[in-house]
Amino acid sequence: MTPEARVRAGFATQARWCEAMAAPFMSRLCTLIPDALDRSTVTGARILDWPGDPIADALPMRLTGGLNALVRRGRLPALAAHYPPHRAGGDLAAVLAAAIRDADAELQPWLDGPPQTNEVARSVVLMAGLLVIAAETGLSVELFELGASAGLNLRLDAYGYRLGGTVVDRPGAPVELIPRWQGASPPAAPVVVAARRGVDVNPLDVTDPATRERLLAYVWPEQAERVERLARALDAAAADPPPIDREDAAGWVERHVVPRPGLTRVVLHSIAFQYFPADTQARIAAHLAAQGGLATAEAPIAWLRFELEPGHELPSLRLTSWPGGADRRLAWAHPHGARVDWLL
Ligand SMILES: C[S@@+](CC[C@H](N)C(=O)[O-])C[C@H]1O[C@@H](n2cnc3c(N)ncnc32)[C@H](O)[C@@H]1O
C-alpha cells in the first residue's frame, strides 16, 4: 500500500469510529479531509506522504485538533460557520481546502505530535472504586496517580457525583458527573483524600492558557457538554493545581509507594498503563506485589486501574487490595465514563 492509500484508509477508519461514537460532524470532516488535501500545501504534503501508521500516530486527530483550535479562536470564520452548533449550507469540502491553505503554517505544530488528553469524566469510575476502598478499610486515602496528564482526575474529590443511587455531594463543585449506571450502587462511604501526587512523562500545566486551549481543542466540537465540563474542571484546577512530577512512572512508584499506617495508599490510573513501556509496567506490578506483602489492615495498599483488558472492547475498573492481594473486576465502563456497568 502507498503512504497515500494508507492515509486515506486511516481517515476512513477514523470517520467510522467517529460515526460509531455519535460524532457525525467529525465523521464527515474525516471523510472529506483526504480530498481537501494536495501537495501544494505543507500540511497536504506531510499528511498524504505520512511515513508512519496514520491510526497509531493519531494523524486525523492531529489535524482536526489543529483546525478546531483555530476555529475556537475565531481564526477561520468560514470553516467555523460549518462547525457545531452552526450548520452552514454549501460545500464544506471546498471551505476545508481553503482553510487548510490559509492556515498552512499554523497547522504545522499540530502535526508534530499526537494529542494528549485528560478526560475528567473518568473520575466517575475512579471515584466508584475509591468508595469501595473507603468502605472496606475505613481509612482516609493517599492518591498516587500514574499518567496523570493535567491531573484533572487527581482532583476527583472536588467533583460531585450521582453513581446509581449513591450521591457524593460537593456543594459548589465545578463539575457534577452523572453517568448512566447499570447494576447495584457503590457503597456510600466517605472518601477523604489526605494527600495526592501524580506522575507523568509529560505533565500538562493547567495554569498555562495555551495548554488549556490545546486540551479543549482535542475534544470533538459536537460534544458541547464534554467541552463545557473540561473547561470548568480546568478553571478549577488552575486555581488549585495538582502536584505532578515529570518522570517515568516506575522509579516514582518504587520511591513513593510503601505502606503508611493510618492511610490507604492508592495507586490509580486511567487509560494510561497501555502507553507505559513493558519494563515500566512490570516494575510497577512487581513493586506493588512486594510492598503489598508488607501491608496490614492499618496500613493497606490498593491498586485501582481503569484500563483496557486484552480481548475486550470496553475498559474495566480493577482493584487489587493488600493485605491479601485480592484482585477484583469492579466494573466495565465507557472509556469517557459516560456509562458504568457495576459488577459488585
Ligand atoms: C491517554 S493519556 C491518559 C491521561 C489521563 N490518565 C486520563 O485518563 O485522562 C496517557 C498519559 O500517560 C502518560 N504516560 C505515557 N507513558 C508514561 C510513562 N512511562 N510514565 C508516566 N506517564 C506516562 C502520557 O504522557 C499521558 O499523559
Side-chain angles (χ1 to χ4, degrees):
M1 211 189 259
T2 62
E4 178 168 342
R6 228 176 19 233
V7 165
R8 288 181 174 277
F11 273 87
T13 300
Q14 185 66 55
R16 280 197 303 280
W17 287 346
C18 292
E19 190 67 49
M21 291 177 79
F25 176 76
M26 277 295 293
S27 175
R28 191 159 162 240
L29 215 51
C30 289
T31 303
L32 294 176
I33 282 171
D35 286 333
L37 297 172
D38 62 42
R39 290 177 180 77
S40 68
T41 61
V42 182
T43 304
R46 278 185 77 182
I47 292 180
L48 293 173
D49 295 328
W50 194 258
D53 176 342
I55 286 292
D57 294 343
L59 182 59
M61 296 299 101
R62 294 184 192 205
L63 179 61
T64 56
L67 289 170
N68 194 23
L70 295 171
V71 164
R72 284 178 54 83
R73 79 169 79 117
R75 170 67 181 79
L76 297 171
L79 185 59
H82 289 264
Y83 268 57
H86 315 294
R87 281 170 162 269
D91 187 354
L92 175 56
V95 173
L96 196 53
I100 291 169
R101 265 196 308 277
D102 181 15
D104 197 20
E106 292 144 279
L107 288 170
Q108 297 319 304
W110 293 87
L111 299 182
D112 290 343
Q116 188 175 351
T117 54
N118 195 188
E119 178 49 67
V120 65
R122 290 185 187 135
S123 283
V124 154
V125 189
L126 297 171
M127 176 52 87
L130 288 185
L131 289 170
V132 173
I133 293 168
E136 293 182 351
T137 63
L139 297 171
S140 302
V141 293
E142 183 170 359
L143 304 181
F144 297 87
E145 191 190 2
L146 317 185
S149 193
L152 298 181
N153 297 320
L154 194 51
R155 301 185 75 256
L156 80 183
D157 54 327
Y159 314 136
Y161 301 85
R162 201 171 293 269
L163 308 174
T166 300
V167 175
V168 180
D169 240 347
R170 288 285 181 275
V175 170
E176 200 183 8
L177 297 166
I178 310 177
R180 279 176 283 132
W181 194 271
Q182 195 72 36
S185 301
V191 171
V192 179
V193 179
R196 76 195 76 219
R197 190 145 206 103
V199 67
D200 199 292
V201 282
N202 186 34
L204 299 182
D205 176 4
V206 285
T207 65
D208 173 27
T211 299
R212 181 183 192 279
E213 262 317 294
R214 197 170 164 82
L215 276 166
L216 287 165
Y218 288 127
V219 181
W220 298 348
E222 54 222 305
Q223 299 177 328
E225 208 179 297
R226 241 180 112 201
V227 176
E228 173 68 15
R229 191 170 63 208
L230 178 60
R232 283 166 177 270
L234 282 166
D235 288 344
D240 180 19
I244 306 173
D245 299 314
R246 179 187 295 273
E247 64 177 277
D248 178 82
W252 188 85
V253 167
E254 287 164 353
R255 282 201 316 284
H256 290 293
V257 184
V258 297
R260 180 168 161 199
L263 286 174
T264 307
R265 294 196 120 173
V266 182
V267 172
L268 73 169
H269 44 86
S270 58
I271 318 296
F273 210 66
Q274 63 186 294
Y275 300 104
F276 299 173
D279 174 62
T280 296
Q281 297 181 354
R283 280 171 62 191
I284 292 167
H287 178 79
L288 291 178
Q291 290 302 316
L294 306 174
T296 63
E298 294 71 40
I301 289 183
W303 187 10
L304 184 65
R305 50 223 193 264
F306 179 43
E307 297 287 347
L308 281 170
E309 287 191 42
H312 293 275
E313 219 166 89
L314 287 178
S316 68
L317 179 70
R318 294 194 81 99
L319 171 63
T320 311
S321 333
W322 291 277
D327 181 59
R328 285 166 289 170
R329 190 188 285 128
L330 305 183
W332 296 106
H334 181 280
H336 297 157
R339 179 198 161 113
V340 178
D341 290 346
W342 190 246
L343 302 173
L344 286 192

